[in-house]
Amino acid sequence: MEDYIVILSLWKRGQWLEEQLEIFKNQTLPPKEIWLCHGLNEENKHFLNSEIFEKFDKVITIEDGGSVFSRFEMAAVSKEKLFLVIDDDMFPTKNYMEKCLEFYSENQDCIIASSGRIFATRTSYFPNQTLGSVNYTSARQVHIGTNGWFLSRDSVNEMLTVHNKKYNNGEDVALSFINLKNRKVKTFVIEQNNKTNSDKYKHSRGVGEEALSHGSKHEEFYRQRNEILSYYFAGKF
């Protein structure tokens, strides 16, 4: 199977960084390299110590104030072909990457998301059907993938070229909509079974003031999401 790169993000929840590193080192098909996308802020300095650095084959420092697009920009300038870009509160089970590679190989170019959304309305981020936290027996195509994306550099480049980064938000919406319309590349959430091959989402770790989508920032975050979603559903990009 092909090599792939994992791109992790160090936002303000570095207490889980070491656990993520161990998980990817111990995959049944481990990555060629693990890259860390982070800004040089005070919250990160404590975690960027020599002990943690020893777990990386390659570290790239980006001083960008925490843009959600920076981790994709890392993939865009690389010579590598396949990437897993994943949030800091996602903890895949041991053979998740093997399942991703198998599905990608069978379906050629696609986007495999850690979880996903199928929307009941075209104007609101809610209500929707969320996949990834339930068990089911086959892959499902979704409107957008969330929380983590196994994808090609071509898919990344298409999103970065077309999407208007008005907000530090909406990378998941743009990624799926742009690639489906312009490249006929679909987004899937693959078979979920929590005992064997599921991506494990520890929801309690994705809440609090550190998260872009929670706490005092919640209302504005989803206002922006609704605006971005409506734009892409209108298909005028």
Side-chain angles (χ1 to χ4, degrees):
M1 291 188 178
E2 294 188 65
D3 288 331
Y4 68 96
I5 303 293
V6 168
I7 300 180
L8 303 179
S9 300
L10 180 55
W11 174 233
K12 296 181 180 180
R13 300 181 289 207
Q15 62 268 35
W16 305 313
L17 175 60
E18 189 167 357
E19 182 180 354
Q20 272 196 322
L21 289 171
E22 291 292 343
I23 284 171
F24 285 109
K25 283 182 63 178
N26 294 323
Q27 287 288 306
T28 53
L29 288 177
K32 178 181 179 181
E33 294 178 339
I34 301 173
W35 298 351
L36 176 64
C37 183
H38 65 87
L40 289 178
N41 55 49
E42 289 300 320
E43 293 88 347
N44 290 342
K45 288 181 179 179
H46 174 71
F47 302 103
L48 296 175
N49 56 57
S50 59
E51 182 177 328
I52 290 181
F53 268 105
E54 290 174 1
K55 297 177 180 291
F56 286 86
D57 295 302
K58 187 172 184 179
V59 177
I60 298 177
T61 299
I62 301 177
E63 299 179 57
D64 61 0
S67 170
V68 297
F69 297 98
S70 297
R71 49 195 178 162
F72 294 99
E73 290 165 354
M74 292 172 68
V77 299
S78 170
K79 294 181 181 179
E80 303 296 335
K81 178 183 176 183
L82 294 176
F83 299 85
L84 175 72
V85 181
I86 193 164
D87 289 352
D88 61 359
D89 53 1
M90 299 299 294
F91 302 83
T93 47
K94 191 171 183 179
N95 67 338
Y96 179 72
M97 294 312 304
E98 182 176 355
K99 292 291 183 180
C100 284
L101 286 159
E102 288 176 354
F103 187 86
Y104 188 90
S105 177
E106 293 169 358
N107 292 271
Q108 301 304 313
D109 203 359
C110 63
I111 298 170
I112 302 170
S114 300
S115 56
R117 294 180 184 271
I118 298 174
F119 294 102
T121 172
R122 297 190 172 202
T123 59
S124 175
Y125 204 67
F126 298 102
N128 61 80
Q129 179 180 350
T130 300
L131 305 177
S133 59
V134 296
N135 291 348
Y136 51 96
T137 57
S138 61
R140 294 282 299 277
Q141 185 179 351
V142 294
H143 283 127
I144 68 168
T146 59
N147 302 114
W149 305 265
F150 184 73
L151 74 175
S152 70
R153 187 180 63 247
D154 290 341
S155 292
V156 172
N157 284 331
E158 190 68 23
M159 185 266 284
L160 292 175
T161 300
V162 176
H163 182 58
N164 177 6
K165 294 184 280 293
K166 177 181 179 181
Y167 302 117
N168 185 31
N169 198 340
E171 74 283 12
D172 50 357
V173 180
L175 188 64
S176 294
F177 273 86
I178 289 171
N179 277 285
L180 181 61
K181 179 181 178 182
N182 293 357
R183 301 181 58 243
K184 309 302 180 186
V185 170
K186 299 176 181 178
T187 300
F188 295 93
V189 179
I190 61 174
E191 177 187 352
Q192 300 282 333
N193 181 316
N194 291 334
K195 293 182 179 179
T196 57
N197 61 18
S198 170
D199 215 17
K200 180 171 58 176
Y201 178 38
K202 296 185 177 179
H203 181 71
S204 62
R205 301 187 178 191
V207 301
E209 286 298 319
E210 297 90 350
L212 285 172
S213 60
H214 291 275
S216 61
K217 300 175 285 293
H218 180 93
E219 184 175 346
E220 176 60 14
F221 177 87
Y222 284 109
R223 185 200 67 77
Q224 294 175 6
R225 277 292 168 100
N226 289 341
E227 180 182 327
I228 294 166
L229 183 67
S230 296
Y231 171 78
Y232 280 107
F233 261 125
K236 297 179 180 179
F237 55 95

